[in-house]
Amino acid sequence: MPELRPLASLMLSTLLLASSPSLNAQAAPPLNYLKFDVDSLLVPASERCRISPREPDLPYALAACEQAASGGDPKAQFLLGNLYYEGVVIPRDTQQAMLWFQRASLQGHAQAQYQIAFMLYRGEGTAPNLVEAYIMMKMSAVNGFDEAISAMDLFAEELSEEQKLQAFYTLSRIFKNYRASLATSPDTQVPLDPADPSGLLDD
């Protein structure tokens, strides 16, 4: 059976690529992977990014994390984004955090979408944009991150009527595009029922 394709992987590419040209930028190459021993590469990709500030070989650990994230693992991408965002293990860099959260988001990582929404709301690593923040928070909720539901409602309270119309129009296009993609890929498993997207657009 084909792997479930998250809703966000089909619907957020255009939004993210349009708003964040840095997404296509290549990340700085990690350290020389040839130094890694075989055992380290057997560690699951996401676990390579669970790094403590007391890590005895921090450059080695960061290189392993970057390798996992660059290889496309969404959990590793999210955790690497958190390392840059929190600034505890490595110096804080909100632009790098945004880049890695976006890469995870495009694979349907709901918690990464939640983080992006707040960064858009606060203007961290990007220009503040309440409409895009609301859309991203909505997608985080749709993709299963429960904490996004209450945050989404708080964001909605700050939207003007014009901004609500803009957000709802964008969301309706996203869901129409998603439905169209399902029609052309009948074997794709549906992670949620988008048959009536109007219910998802109510604030």
Side-chain angles (χ1 to χ4, degrees):
M1 179 177 292
E3 184 180 354
L4 295 182
R5 293 193 65 194
L7 181 59
S9 66
L10 298 169
M11 60 178 57
L12 291 178
S13 301
T14 302
L15 174 65
L16 287 176
L17 290 172
S19 62
S20 303
S22 64
L23 186 59
N24 288 324
Q26 294 295 318
L31 298 179
N32 184 355
Y33 299 141
L34 297 178
K35 295 190 300 182
F36 292 3
D37 58 57
V38 174
D39 290 340
S40 71
L41 298 180
L42 299 178
V43 176
S46 61
E47 293 304 313
R48 292 181 228 162
C49 289
R50 298 189 186 280
I51 303 172
S52 164
R54 296 181 298 278
E55 172 64 45
D57 193 348
L58 187 57
Y60 180 97
L62 286 173
C65 173
E66 287 189 8
Q67 182 188 45
S70 297
D73 184 277
K75 291 181 181 178
Q77 291 168 344
F78 170 71
L79 291 170
L80 182 55
N82 259 346
L83 290 177
Y84 277 112
Y85 185 78
E86 293 172 353
V88 175
V89 174
I90 53 179
R92 192 167 194 259
D93 186 332
T94 55
Q95 291 186 335
Q96 280 294 311
M98 175 65 83
L99 183 146
W100 288 110
F101 286 147
Q102 287 172 335
R103 290 182 178 178
S105 172
L106 289 173
Q107 298 191 69
H109 197 291
Q111 196 170 351
Q113 293 164 356
Y114 179 83
Q115 289 291 95
I116 292 170
F118 271 110
M119 292 180 75
L120 285 164
Y121 178 77
R122 298 171 181 145
E124 296 176 320
T126 185
N129 189 315
L130 181 57
V131 172
E132 288 187 12
Y134 174 80
I135 292 169
M136 191 62 68
M137 193 64 79
K138 177 76 86 170
M139 297 319 308
S140 176
V142 167
N143 281 308
F145 193 59
D146 291 342
E147 292 179 35
I149 297 173
S150 56
M152 177 186 69
D153 292 338
L154 292 174
F155 282 14
E157 292 176 2
E158 297 191 30
L159 292 170
S160 67
E161 290 303 314
E162 182 179 353
Q163 287 174 322
K164 286 182 181 179
L165 289 174
Q166 182 182 355
F168 295 168
Y169 173 76
T170 301
L171 284 164
S172 69
R173 291 290 300 273
I174 286 171
F175 278 90
K176 286 177 183 176
N177 290 341
Y178 175 66
R179 292 179 65 189
S181 72
L182 292 180
T184 59
S185 303
D187 292 332
T188 301
Q189 299 297 309
V190 185
L192 63 93
D193 182 6
D196 181 13
S198 60
L200 296 169
L201 303 181
D202 295 334
D203 62 1

